[in-house]
Amino acid sequence: MLRTDNLHVNYGAIKAIRGISINVPEKSIVTLIGANGAGKTTTLRAVSGIVKSSEGKIFYNDTDITGLPPHKIVAMGLSQVPEGRLIFANLTVKENLEMGAYLRKDRENIKKDLDFIFNIFPRLQERLKQSGGTLSGGEQQMLAISRALMSKPKMLLLDEPSLGIAPILVKTIFEKIVEINRTLGMTILLVEQNAHLALSIANYGYVLETGSIILEGPASELESNPDVRKAYLGEI
Amino acid sequence: MRKLQNNTKYLFITALFIILLINFLSDSINRYYYQIIIYCGINIILATSLNLINGYTGQFSLGHAGFMAIGAYVSASLSTYFAPALISLLGTGLVGKSIWFIFVLLCGGIAASVVGIIVGVPSLRLKGDYLAISTLGFSEIIRVVIQNLNFIGASQGFRGVYIYENGTRSLEMVSELSDVQYVFYEIPKYTDFFWTYLVAAVIIFSITNMIRSTYGRGFIAVKDDEVAAEAMGINTTKFKVTAFIIGAFFAGIAGGLYSHFLTYINPEDFNFLRSVEIVAMVILGGMGSTFGVVIAAIVLTLLPELLRDIQQYRMIIYALLLIIMMILRPQGLFGVRLHRKRKTNV
C-alpha cells in the first residue's frame, strides 16, 4: 500500500536518513524501531509531506506522492498522528475531533465514526467538553489517534504513541491500536522506541540506525534475533 | 451552536439600531467627545482585525499601521483626485455621498489586502520574532514610499487637491495659472458615528461568527500547533494568508475612516508607534478574545485623554498601567489563560 524507494532527507548539511526503502502491505502493522536519532520520525514525516525528501520516491497505492504538500496527502487517506501528541490545546475534545474530520464532506457519517471512537476510547466521551490541554498525557494520545481516525484514513502513521505516557496506559493504547487494525482493517505504520512493545503487535519490522535500515524481517523473527535483543530489548 | 449563531444575529441587528439612534444625537455631542468616540470606533476596527492575525491565528504581525496607511491614502486620493467625476456621477445628495464613501472605503480596503498578500506570502514563511520584524519592516517601507510620493503630499501630508479648469491637478496653487478657474477639493469629511460603528459592528459580527464555524477553527488550529494542523489536512499557509488578507482589508477601511474624519493625513500618523499601539490593545484585551480586545481598544483610546490634566506625566502613567496590567493579568483583560503545550520528556 505504501512504498518508499531509496528515501533521503537532509536537515541542512546533516543527513537524517540515507536510502530508506520500506514496504507497508495493506491491512498490516509495520513498525520502524531504533534508537534516538535513527531517523524513524524523519521517515514518517517525509511520508506525510511535513519534511521534504532530497532524493528517492514515495508511492502510495502505486501513485507517486513525493513532494506533495501535507494537506493533499491527508486528503488521499494517509493520516499522521504526530509525535508528542500534538493536539489543539485551546479547542475542546469535541472540536479537536471535528478538526480531524476537516476535509470530509459526508456530515452524516461523522456521527457514526464518533460513536465508533467513543466505543474504543470511552474516556474521550466523558471529557467531550473539556479543552484538549487539560487532558492527561495518555488521554491526549487517545485524542490524537481518534482525531486522525476522524479523517477516515486508509492508513495511519503513528509516531511514538508510547512517548511520555504512564506505563499502564501504554498497554491500553497498544491494545487499541491492534483493535483499530483488526476491526477497521486499517493499515498502520508505527514508529516506536519501545521495540519490544512494537514488535509484539506488528507483522513486520525495520531496524534503523543512523539513518539506514540495518535489519528487517517479520516481527517475530526480529524479536528473537540475538542482535536486536542485545541492542534494543535490553539483553546482555 | 445554532442557537448561539442566531443570538449573534439578533445582537448584530440590535447593535445596528442603537448605532442609528445614537447617530441622530451626534450633533448635540460636544465636538471633543465626539472625536474621541470616533477614534474609539476606528481603534476597535483596527484592534479586532489585528486580533484575527495575532490572537486567533497566532502570527505576530507588527505592521498594521502600514495597511491602515494604504487604506487612508488610497481612499483619500480617490475622494479628491476623482472628486469632479464622482460629483457629476453621484451628485451631492445623501445617497450619492454614501455610495461614494462606500466605494472609496472598499477601494482602500482592497488595496490594503492586495498589499497584505504581497507582504504575507513571503513573510508568513517566517515565525515569531522574525515575522514581527519583517512585517514591521514592510510597514516602514510603505510609510517611506508615501513620504516620497509627491502627488499625495509626500512628507508634507495630504489635505486635498487643486483642480484647474484646464485639467491641471496640483497640491499647491500654481502661480502661472493665476487667471485660470480652479476648485480646491479637500478630503470630504464623510466619517461619522454611523459609518464608523457600522464597520465596527460588521467586523465584530463576522469575526465572531467565522471563528465559531468549522472553517474558522482552522485559524485556532494553526495557532495551537502547525504540524498537527498540517497533519489534519489543513492548508496552514492558506489560513495564515487568509487571516492576513482579512486583517489588512479591515485595517485599510479603518484608514479610510480615519482620513475622511481628520481630512488631513500625514505619513507620520502611520508610523511604528501606531502599530505598537494596536498590538498593545490586542495583548491587553487578551489574545483571541474579541470582546476583550474591543474593551481594550476603548480603554487605551480614553486613557491618554483622561490623563490629559497631568500633562507631562501622562505617558509615564500610561506606560506604567500597561506594565502593571501585564504583571497582574498576563492573559489580558478578558483573555482565557491559554493552555501551554506540555513538554514531553524525550
mmCIF file with all atom_site columns, all heavy atoms in Angstrom, chain A residues 155-178:
data_model
loop_
_atom_site.group_PDB
_atom_site.id
_atom_site.type_symbol
_atom_site.label_atom_id
_atom_site.label_alt_id
_atom_site.label_comp_id
_atom_site.label_asym_id
_atom_site.label_entity_id
_atom_site.label_seq_id
_atom_site.pdbx_PDB_ins_code
_atom_site.Cartn_x
_atom_site.Cartn_y
_atom_site.Cartn_z
_atom_site.occupancy
_atom_site.B_iso_or_equiv
_atom_site.pdbx_formal_charge
_atom_site.auth_seq_id
_atom_site.auth_comp_id
_atom_site.auth_asym_id
_atom_site.auth_atom_id
_atom_site.pdbx_PDB_model_num
ATOM 1   N N   . MET A 1 155 ? -4.904  4.694  5.893  1.00 0.00 ? 155 MET A N   1
ATOM 2   C CA  . MET A 1 155 ? -3.683  4.259  6.539  1.00 0.00 ? 155 MET A CA  1
ATOM 3   C C   . MET A 1 155 ? -3.307  5.267  7.622  1.00 0.00 ? 155 MET A C   1
ATOM 4   O O   . MET A 1 155 ? -3.442  6.465  7.452  1.00 0.00 ? 155 MET A O   1
ATOM 5   C CB  . MET A 1 155 ? -2.573  4.182  5.494  1.00 0.00 ? 155 MET A CB  1
ATOM 6   C CG  . MET A 1 155 ? -1.260  3.757  6.069  1.00 0.00 ? 155 MET A CG  1
ATOM 7   S SD  . MET A 1 155 ? -0.060  3.525  4.753  1.00 0.00 ? 155 MET A SD  1
ATOM 8   C CE  . MET A 1 155 ? 1.368   3.200  5.746  1.00 0.00 ? 155 MET A CE  1
ATOM 9   N N   . LEU A 1 156 ? -2.840  4.731  8.768  1.00 0.00 ? 156 LEU A N   1
ATOM 10  C CA  . LEU A 1 156 ? -2.445  5.587  9.886  1.00 0.00 ? 156 LEU A CA  1
ATOM 11  C C   . LEU A 1 156 ? -0.926  5.571  10.026 1.00 0.00 ? 156 LEU A C   1
ATOM 12  O O   . LEU A 1 156 ? -0.298  4.514  9.948  1.00 0.00 ? 156 LEU A O   1
ATOM 13  C CB  . LEU A 1 156 ? -3.030  5.058  11.194 1.00 0.00 ? 156 LEU A CB  1
ATOM 14  C CG  . LEU A 1 156 ? -4.343  5.578  11.727 1.00 0.00 ? 156 LEU A CG  1
ATOM 15  C CD1 . LEU A 1 156 ? -4.578  5.007  13.117 1.00 0.00 ? 156 LEU A CD1 1
ATOM 16  C CD2 . LEU A 1 156 ? -4.359  7.094  11.788 1.00 0.00 ? 156 LEU A CD2 1
ATOM 17  N N   . LEU A 1 157 ? -0.351  6.763  10.241 1.00 0.00 ? 157 LEU A N   1
ATOM 18  C CA  . LEU A 1 157 ? 1.068   6.839  10.556 1.00 0.00 ? 157 LEU A CA  1
ATOM 19  C C   . LEU A 1 157 ? 1.174   7.232  12.024 1.00 0.00 ? 157 LEU A C   1
ATOM 20  O O   . LEU A 1 157 ? 0.790   8.338  12.397 1.00 0.00 ? 157 LEU A O   1
ATOM 21  C CB  . LEU A 1 157 ? 1.742   7.896  9.682  1.00 0.00 ? 157 LEU A CB  1
ATOM 22  C CG  . LEU A 1 157 ? 1.529   7.778  8.175  1.00 0.00 ? 157 LEU A CG  1
ATOM 23  C CD1 . LEU A 1 157 ? 2.017   9.022  7.465  1.00 0.00 ? 157 LEU A CD1 1
ATOM 24  C CD2 . LEU A 1 157 ? 2.256   6.553  7.639  1.00 0.00 ? 157 LEU A CD2 1
ATOM 25  N N   . LEU A 1 158 ? 1.644   6.330  12.866 1.00 0.00 ? 158 LEU A N   1
ATOM 26  C CA  . LEU A 1 158 ? 1.709   6.615  14.298 1.00 0.00 ? 158 LEU A CA  1
ATOM 27  C C   . LEU A 1 158 ? 3.146   6.896  14.707 1.00 0.00 ? 158 LEU A C   1
ATOM 28  O O   . LEU A 1 158 ? 4.040   6.088  14.474 1.00 0.00 ? 158 LEU A O   1
ATOM 29  C CB  . LEU A 1 158 ? 1.201   5.418  15.107 1.00 0.00 ? 158 LEU A CB  1
ATOM 30  C CG  . LEU A 1 158 ? -0.279  5.085  15.006 1.00 0.00 ? 158 LEU A CG  1
ATOM 31  C CD1 . LEU A 1 158 ? -0.574  3.803  15.767 1.00 0.00 ? 158 LEU A CD1 1
ATOM 32  C CD2 . LEU A 1 158 ? -1.103  6.222  15.571 1.00 0.00 ? 158 LEU A CD2 1
ATOM 33  N N   . ASP A 1 159 ? 3.345   8.055  15.329 1.00 0.00 ? 159 ASP A N   1
ATOM 34  C CA  . ASP A 1 159 ? 4.695   8.421  15.731 1.00 0.00 ? 159 ASP A CA  1
ATOM 35  C C   . ASP A 1 159 ? 4.846   8.349  17.249 1.00 0.00 ? 159 ASP A C   1
ATOM 36  O O   . ASP A 1 159 ? 4.292   9.185  17.960 1.00 0.00 ? 159 ASP A O   1
ATOM 37  C CB  . ASP A 1 159 ? 5.010   9.829  15.215 1.00 0.00 ? 159 ASP A CB  1
ATOM 38  C CG  . ASP A 1 159 ? 6.496   10.114 15.216 1.00 0.00 ? 159 ASP A CG  1
ATOM 39  O OD1 . ASP A 1 159 ? 7.257   9.256  15.720 1.00 0.00 ? 159 ASP A OD1 1
ATOM 40  O OD2 . ASP A 1 159 ? 6.899   11.182 14.721 1.00 0.00 ? 159 ASP A OD2 1
ATOM 41  N N   . GLU A 1 160 ? 5.584   7.385  17.731 1.00 0.00 ? 160 GLU A N   1
ATOM 42  C CA  . GLU A 1 160 ? 5.887   7.211  19.151 1.00 0.00 ? 160 GLU A CA  1
ATOM 43  C C   . GLU A 1 160 ? 4.669   7.333  20.056 1.00 0.00 ? 160 GLU A C   1
ATOM 44  O O   . GLU A 1 160 ? 4.626   8.199  20.926 1.00 0.00 ? 160 GLU A O   1
ATOM 45  C CB  . GLU A 1 160 ? 6.918   8.263  19.604 1.00 0.00 ? 160 GLU A CB  1
ATOM 46  C CG  . GLU A 1 160 ? 8.182   8.246  18.783 1.00 0.00 ? 160 GLU A CG  1
ATOM 47  C CD  . GLU A 1 160 ? 9.341   7.512  19.460 1.00 0.00 ? 160 GLU A CD  1
ATOM 48  O OE1 . GLU A 1 160 ? 9.089   6.895  20.512 1.00 0.00 ? 160 GLU A OE1 1
ATOM 49  O OE2 . GLU A 1 160 ? 10.436  7.538  18.908 1.00 0.00 ? 160 GLU A OE2 1
ATOM 50  N N   . PRO A 1 161 ? 3.667   6.483  19.896 1.00 0.00 ? 161 PRO A N   1
ATOM 51  C CA  . PRO A 1 161 ? 2.481   6.618  20.748 1.00 0.00 ? 161 PRO A CA  1
ATOM 52  C C   . PRO A 1 161 ? 2.754   6.362  22.237 1.00 0.00 ? 161 PRO A C   1
ATOM 53  O O   . PRO A 1 161 ? 1.934   6.727  23.069 1.00 0.00 ? 161 PRO A O   1
ATOM 54  C CB  . PRO A 1 161 ? 1.502   5.590  20.174 1.00 0.00 ? 161 PRO A CB  1
ATOM 55  C CG  . PRO A 1 161 ? 2.286   4.697  19.308 1.00 0.00 ? 161 PRO A CG  1
ATOM 56  C CD  . PRO A 1 161 ? 3.518   5.419  18.887 1.00 0.00 ? 161 PRO A CD  1
ATOM 57  N N   . SER A 1 162 ? 3.892   5.774  22.570 1.00 0.00 ? 162 SER A N   1
ATOM 58  C CA  . SER A 1 162 ? 4.139   5.477  23.991 1.00 0.00 ? 162 SER A CA  1
ATOM 59  C C   . SER A 1 162 ? 4.916   6.588  24.685 1.00 0.00 ? 162 SER A C   1
ATOM 60  O O   . SER A 1 162 ? 5.136   6.543  25.892 1.00 0.00 ? 162 SER A O   1
ATOM 61  C CB  . SER A 1 162 ? 4.924   4.163  24.120 1.00 0.00 ? 162 SER A CB  1
ATOM 62  O OG  . SER A 1 162 ? 6.269   4.383  23.782 1.00 0.00 ? 162 SER A OG  1
ATOM 63  N N   . LEU A 1 163 ? 5.316   7.593  23.936 1.00 0.00 ? 163 LEU A N   1
ATOM 64  C CA  . LEU A 1 163 ? 6.215   8.611  24.477 1.00 0.00 ? 163 LEU A CA  1
ATOM 65  C C   . LEU A 1 163 ? 5.588   9.399  25.635 1.00 0.00 ? 163 LEU A C   1
ATOM 66  O O   . LEU A 1 163 ? 4.551   10.034 25.483 1.00 0.00 ? 163 LEU A O   1
ATOM 67  C CB  . LEU A 1 163 ? 6.600   9.580  23.351 1.00 0.00 ? 163 LEU A CB  1
ATOM 68  C CG  . LEU A 1 163 ? 7.779   10.503 23.638 1.00 0.00 ? 163 LEU A CG  1
ATOM 69  C CD1 . LEU A 1 163 ? 9.080   9.728  23.589 1.00 0.00 ? 163 LEU A CD1 1
ATOM 70  C CD2 . LEU A 1 163 ? 7.815   11.622 22.610 1.00 0.00 ? 163 LEU A CD2 1
ATOM 71  N N   . GLY A 1 164 ? 6.239   9.342  26.790 1.00 0.00 ? 164 GLY A N   1
ATOM 72  C CA  . GLY A 1 164 ? 5.828   10.153 27.930 1.00 0.00 ? 164 GLY A CA  1
ATOM 73  C C   . GLY A 1 164 ? 4.456   9.834  28.483 1.00 0.00 ? 164 GLY A C   1
ATOM 74  O O   . GLY A 1 164 ? 3.737   10.723 28.935 1.00 0.00 ? 164 GLY A O   1
ATOM 75  N N   . ILE A 1 165 ? 4.054   8.560  28.417 1.00 0.00 ? 165 ILE A N   1
ATOM 76  C CA  . ILE A 1 165 ? 2.739   8.176  28.911 1.00 0.00 ? 165 ILE A CA  1
ATOM 77  C C   . ILE A 1 165 ? 2.902   7.146  30.024 1.00 0.00 ? 165 ILE A C   1
ATOM 78  O O   . ILE A 1 165 ? 3.805   6.299  29.977 1.00 0.00 ? 165 ILE A O   1
ATOM 79  C CB  . ILE A 1 165 ? 1.898   7.579  27.764 1.00 0.00 ? 165 ILE A CB  1
ATOM 80  C CG1 . ILE A 1 165 ? 1.551   8.693  26.776 1.00 0.00 ? 165 ILE A CG1 1
ATOM 81  C CG2 . ILE A 1 165 ? 0.627   6.927  28.261 1.00 0.00 ? 165 ILE A CG2 1
ATOM 82  C CD1 . ILE A 1 165 ? 0.868   8.192  25.562 1.00 0.00 ? 165 ILE A CD1 1
ATOM 83  N N   . ALA A 1 166 ? 2.007   7.204  30.992 1.00 0.00 ? 166 ALA A N   1
ATOM 84  C CA  . ALA A 1 166 ? 2.054   6.255  32.099 1.00 0.00 ? 166 ALA A CA  1
ATOM 85  C C   . ALA A 1 166 ? 2.038   4.815  31.559 1.00 0.00 ? 166 ALA A C   1
ATOM 86  O O   . ALA A 1 166 ? 1.235   4.496  30.685 1.00 0.00 ? 166 ALA A O   1
ATOM 87  C CB  . ALA A 1 166 ? 0.857   6.477  33.006 1.00 0.00 ? 166 ALA A CB  1
ATOM 88  N N   . PRO A 1 167 ? 2.943   3.937  32.059 1.00 0.00 ? 167 PRO A N   1
ATOM 89  C CA  . PRO A 1 167 ? 3.074   2.576  31.523 1.00 0.00 ? 167 PRO A CA  1
ATOM 90  C C   . PRO A 1 167 ? 1.748   1.825  31.421 1.00 0.00 ? 167 PRO A C   1
ATOM 91  O O   . PRO A 1 167 ? 1.508   1.119  30.440 1.00 0.00 ? 167 PRO A O   1
ATOM 92  C CB  . PRO A 1 167 ? 3.990   1.902  32.540 1.00 0.00 ? 167 PRO A CB  1
ATOM 93  C CG  . PRO A 1 167 ? 4.775   3.014  33.121 1.00 0.00 ? 167 PRO A CG  1
ATOM 94  C CD  . PRO A 1 167 ? 3.886   4.217  33.110 1.00 0.00 ? 167 PRO A CD  1
ATOM 95  N N   . ILE A 1 168 ? 0.872   2.030  32.394 1.00 0.00 ? 168 ILE A N   1
ATOM 96  C CA  . ILE A 1 168 ? -0.388  1.278  32.377 1.00 0.00 ? 168 ILE A CA  1
ATOM 97  C C   . ILE A 1 168 ? -1.242  1.673  31.183 1.00 0.00 ? 168 ILE A C   1
ATOM 98  O O   . ILE A 1 168 ? -1.923  0.852  30.572 1.00 0.00 ? 168 ILE A O   1
ATOM 99  C CB  . ILE A 1 168 ? -1.148  1.464  33.707 1.00 0.00 ? 168 ILE A CB  1
ATOM 100 C CG1 . ILE A 1 168 ? -2.413  0.608  33.719 1.00 0.00 ? 168 ILE A CG1 1
ATOM 101 C CG2 . ILE A 1 168 ? -1.514  2.899  33.965 1.00 0.00 ? 168 ILE A CG2 1
ATOM 102 C CD1 . ILE A 1 168 ? -2.832  0.224  35.118 1.00 0.00 ? 168 ILE A CD1 1
ATOM 103 N N   . LEU A 1 169 ? -1.157  2.975  30.814 1.00 0.00 ? 169 LEU A N   1
ATOM 104 C CA  . LEU A 1 169 ? -1.934  3.454  29.671 1.00 0.00 ? 169 LEU A CA  1
ATOM 105 C C   . LEU A 1 169 ? -1.301  3.033  28.354 1.00 0.00 ? 169 LEU A C   1
ATOM 106 O O   . LEU A 1 169 ? -1.991  2.818  27.369 1.00 0.00 ? 169 LEU A O   1
ATOM 107 C CB  . LEU A 1 169 ? -2.054  4.978  29.728 1.00 0.00 ? 169 LEU A CB  1
ATOM 108 C CG  . LEU A 1 169 ? -3.220  5.502  30.549 1.00 0.00 ? 169 LEU A CG  1
ATOM 109 C CD1 . LEU A 1 169 ? -3.199  7.014  30.589 1.00 0.00 ? 169 LEU A CD1 1
ATOM 110 C CD2 . LEU A 1 169 ? -4.542  5.021  29.973 1.00 0.00 ? 169 LEU A CD2 1
ATOM 111 N N   . VAL A 1 170 ? 0.032   2.906  28.357 1.00 0.00 ? 170 VAL A N   1
ATOM 112 C CA  . VAL A 1 170 ? 0.722   2.495  27.138 1.00 0.00 ? 170 VAL A CA  1
ATOM 113 C C   . VAL A 1 170 ? 0.161   1.176  26.652 1.00 0.00 ? 170 VAL A C   1
ATOM 114 O O   . VAL A 1 170 ? -0.138  0.994  25.475 1.00 0.00 ? 170 VAL A O   1
ATOM 115 C CB  . VAL A 1 170 ? 2.241   2.378  27.386 1.00 0.00 ? 170 VAL A CB  1
ATOM 116 C CG1 . VAL A 1 170 ? 2.925   1.720  26.197 1.00 0.00 ? 170 VAL A CG1 1
ATOM 117 C CG2 . VAL A 1 170 ? 2.837   3.746  27.623 1.00 0.00 ? 170 VAL A CG2 1
ATOM 118 N N   . LYS A 1 171 ? -0.029  0.255  27.612 1.00 0.00 ? 171 LYS A N   1
ATOM 119 C CA  . LYS A 1 171 ? -0.531  -1.068 27.268 1.00 0.00 ? 171 LYS A CA  1
ATOM 120 C C   . LYS A 1 171 ? -1.927  -0.957 26.637 1.00 0.00 ? 171 LYS A C   1
ATOM 121 O O   . LYS A 1 171 ? -2.206  -1.559 25.605 1.00 0.00 ? 171 LYS A O   1
ATOM 122 C CB  . LYS A 1 171 ? -0.573  -1.943 28.534 1.00 0.00 ? 171 LYS A CB  1
ATOM 123 C CG  . LYS A 1 171 ? -0.489  -3.406 28.225 1.00 0.00 ? 171 LYS A CG  1
ATOM 124 C CD  . LYS A 1 171 ? -0.178  -4.220 29.475 1.00 0.00 ? 171 LYS A CD  1
ATOM 125 C CE  . LYS A 1 171 ? -0.656  -5.650 29.282 1.00 0.00 ? 171 LYS A CE  1
ATOM 126 N NZ  . LYS A 1 171 ? -2.068  -5.843 29.650 1.00 0.00 ? 171 LYS A NZ  1
ATOM 127 N N   . THR A 1 172 ? -2.787  -0.152 27.279 1.00 0.00 ? 172 THR A N   1
ATOM 128 C CA  . THR A 1 172 ? -4.145  0.048  26.745 1.00 0.00 ? 172 THR A CA  1
ATOM 129 C C   . THR A 1 172 ? -4.082  0.601  25.330 1.00 0.00 ? 172 THR A C   1
ATOM 130 O O   . THR A 1 172 ? -4.784  0.116  24.437 1.00 0.00 ? 172 THR A O   1
ATOM 131 C CB  . THR A 1 172 ? -4.921  1.063  27.617 1.00 0.00 ? 172 THR A CB  1
ATOM 132 O OG1 . THR A 1 172 ? -4.579  0.840  28.964 1.00 0.00 ? 172 THR A OG1 1
ATOM 133 C CG2 . THR A 1 172 ? -6.403  0.960  27.398 1.00 0.00 ? 172 THR A CG2 1
ATOM 134 N N   . ILE A 1 173 ? -3.251  1.619  25.154 1.00 0.00 ? 173 ILE A N   1
ATOM 135 C CA  . ILE A 1 173 ? -3.212  2.263  23.844 1.00 0.00 ? 173 ILE A CA  1
ATOM 136 C C   . ILE A 1 173 ? -2.759  1.283  22.771 1.00 0.00 ? 173 ILE A C   1
ATOM 137 O O   . ILE A 1 173 ? -3.327  1.244  21.679 1.00 0.00 ? 173 ILE A O   1
ATOM 138 C CB  . ILE A 1 173 ? -2.329  3.529  23.904 1.00 0.00 ? 173 ILE A CB  1
ATOM 139 C CG1 . ILE A 1 173 ? -3.123  4.642  24.597 1.00 0.00 ? 173 ILE A CG1 1
ATOM 140 C CG2 . ILE A 1 173 ? -1.895  3.975  22.507 1.00 0.00 ? 173 ILE A CG2 1
ATOM 141 C CD1 . ILE A 1 173 ? -2.367  5.880  24.889 1.00 0.00 ? 173 ILE A CD1 1
ATOM 142 N N   . PHE A 1 174 ? -1.781  0.451  23.096 1.00 0.00 ? 174 PHE A N   1
ATOM 143 C CA  . PHE A 1 174 ? -1.326  -0.528 22.100 1.00 0.00 ? 174 PHE A CA  1
ATOM 144 C C   . PHE A 1 174 ? -2.398  -1.578 21.793 1.00 0.00 ? 174 PHE A C   1
ATOM 145 O O   . PHE A 1 174 ? -2.536  -2.005 20.653 1.00 0.00 ? 174 PHE A O   1
ATOM 146 C CB  . PHE A 1 174 ? 0.003   -1.170 22.526 1.00 0.00 ? 174 PHE A CB  1
ATOM 147 C CG  . PHE A 1 174 ? 1.182   -0.377 22.061 1.00 0.00 ? 174 PHE A CG  1
ATOM 148 C CD1 . PHE A 1 174 ? 1.510   0.829  22.663 1.00 0.00 ? 174 PHE A CD1 1
ATOM 149 C CD2 . PHE A 1 174 ? 1.944   -0.792 20.982 1.00 0.00 ? 174 PHE A CD2 1
ATOM 150 C CE1 . PHE A 1 174 ? 2.569   1.596  22.217 1.00 0.00 ? 174 PHE A CE1 1
ATOM 151 C CE2 . PHE A 1 174 ? 3.015   -0.035 20.524 1.00 0.00 ? 174 PHE A CE2 1
ATOM 152 C CZ  . PHE A 1 174 ? 3.327   1.166  21.141 1.00 0.00 ? 174 PHE A CZ  1
ATOM 153 N N   . GLU A 1 175 ? -3.150  -1.935 22.833 1.00 0.00 ? 175 GLU A N   1
ATOM 154 C CA  . GLU A 1 175 ? -4.269  -2.863 22.577 1.00 0.00 ? 175 GLU A CA  1
ATOM 155 C C   . GLU A 1 175 ? -5.286  -2.232 21.628 1.00 0.00 ? 175 GLU A C   1
ATOM 156 O O   . GLU A 1 175 ? -5.824  -2.889 20.738 1.00 0.00 ? 175 GLU A O   1
ATOM 157 C CB  . GLU A 1 175 ? -4.963  -3.224 23.890 1.00 0.00 ? 175 GLU A CB  1
ATOM 158 C CG  . GLU A 1 175 ? -4.218  -4.282 24.694 1.00 0.00 ? 175 GLU A CG  1
ATOM 159 C CD  . GLU A 1 175 ? -4.706  -4.361 26.153 1.00 0.00 ? 175 GLU A CD  1
ATOM 160 O OE1 . GLU A 1 175 ? -5.786  -3.802 26.446 1.00 0.00 ? 175 GLU A OE1 1
ATOM 161 O OE2 . GLU A 1 175 ? -3.988  -4.964 26.962 1.00 0.00 ? 175 GLU A OE2 1
ATOM 162 N N   . LYS A 1 176 ? -5.504  -0.912 21.829 1.00 0.00 ? 176 LYS A N   1
ATOM 163 C CA  . LYS A 1 176 ? -6.475  -0.213 20.985 1.00 0.00 ? 176 LYS A CA  1
ATOM 164 C C   . LYS A 1 176 ? -5.966  -0.114 19.547 1.00 0.00 ? 176 LYS A C   1
ATOM 165 O O   . LYS A 1 176 ? -6.751  -0.189 18.600 1.00 0.00 ? 176 LYS A O   1
ATOM 166 C CB  . LYS A 1 176 ? -6.748  1.188  21.532 1.00 0.00 ? 176 LYS A CB  1
ATOM 167 C CG  . LYS A 1 176 ? -7.343  1.216  22.920 1.00 0.00 ? 176 LYS A CG  1
ATOM 168 C CD  . LYS A 1 176 ? -8.669  0.510  22.976 1.00 0.00 ? 176 LYS A CD  1
ATOM 169 C CE  . LYS A 1 176 ? -9.247  0.587  24.380 1.00 0.00 ? 176 LYS A CE  1
ATOM 170 N NZ  . LYS A 1 176 ? -10.435 -0.266 24.518 1.00 0.00 ? 176 LYS A NZ  1
ATOM 171 N N   . ILE A 1 177 ? -4.657  0.067  19.413 1.00 0.00 ? 177 ILE A N   1
ATOM 172 C CA  . ILE A 1 177 ? -4.086  0.141  18.061 1.00 0.00 ? 177 ILE A CA  1
ATOM 173 C C   . ILE A 1 177 ? -4.356  -1.171 17.321 1.00 0.00 ? 177 ILE A C   1
ATOM 174 O O   . ILE A 1 177 ? -4.781  -1.166 16.156 1.00 0.00 ? 177 ILE A O   1
ATOM 175 C CB  . ILE A 1 177 ? -2.565  0.433  18.120 1.00 0.00 ? 177 ILE A CB  1
ATOM 176 C CG1 . ILE A 1 177 ? -2.323  1.848  18.659 1.00 0.00 ? 177 ILE A CG1 1
ATOM 177 C CG2 . ILE A 1 177 ? -1.915  0.280  16.740 1.00 0.00 ? 177 ILE A CG2 1
ATOM 178 C CD1 . ILE A 1 177 ? -0.882  2.180  18.951 1.00 0.00 ? 177 ILE A CD1 1
ATOM 179 N N   . VAL A 1 178 ? -4.169  -2.284 18.028 1.00 0.00 ? 178 VAL A N   1
ATOM 180 C CA  . VAL A 1 178 ? -4.445  -3.584 17.417 1.00 0.00 ? 178 VAL A CA  1
ATOM 181 C C   . VAL A 1 178 ? -5.924  -3.689 17.071 1.00 0.00 ? 178 VAL A C   1
ATOM 182 O O   . VAL A 1 178 ? -6.300  -4.135 15.979 1.00 0.00 ? 178 VAL A O   1
ATOM 183 C CB  . VAL A 1 178 ? -4.032  -4.728 18.376 1.00 0.00 ? 178 VAL A CB  1
ATOM 184 C CG1 . VAL A 1 178 ? -4.418  -6.079 17.788 1.00 0.00 ? 178 VAL A CG1 1
ATOM 185 C CG2 . VAL A 1 178 ? -2.535  -4.682 18.625 1.00 0.00 ? 178 VAL A CG2 1
#
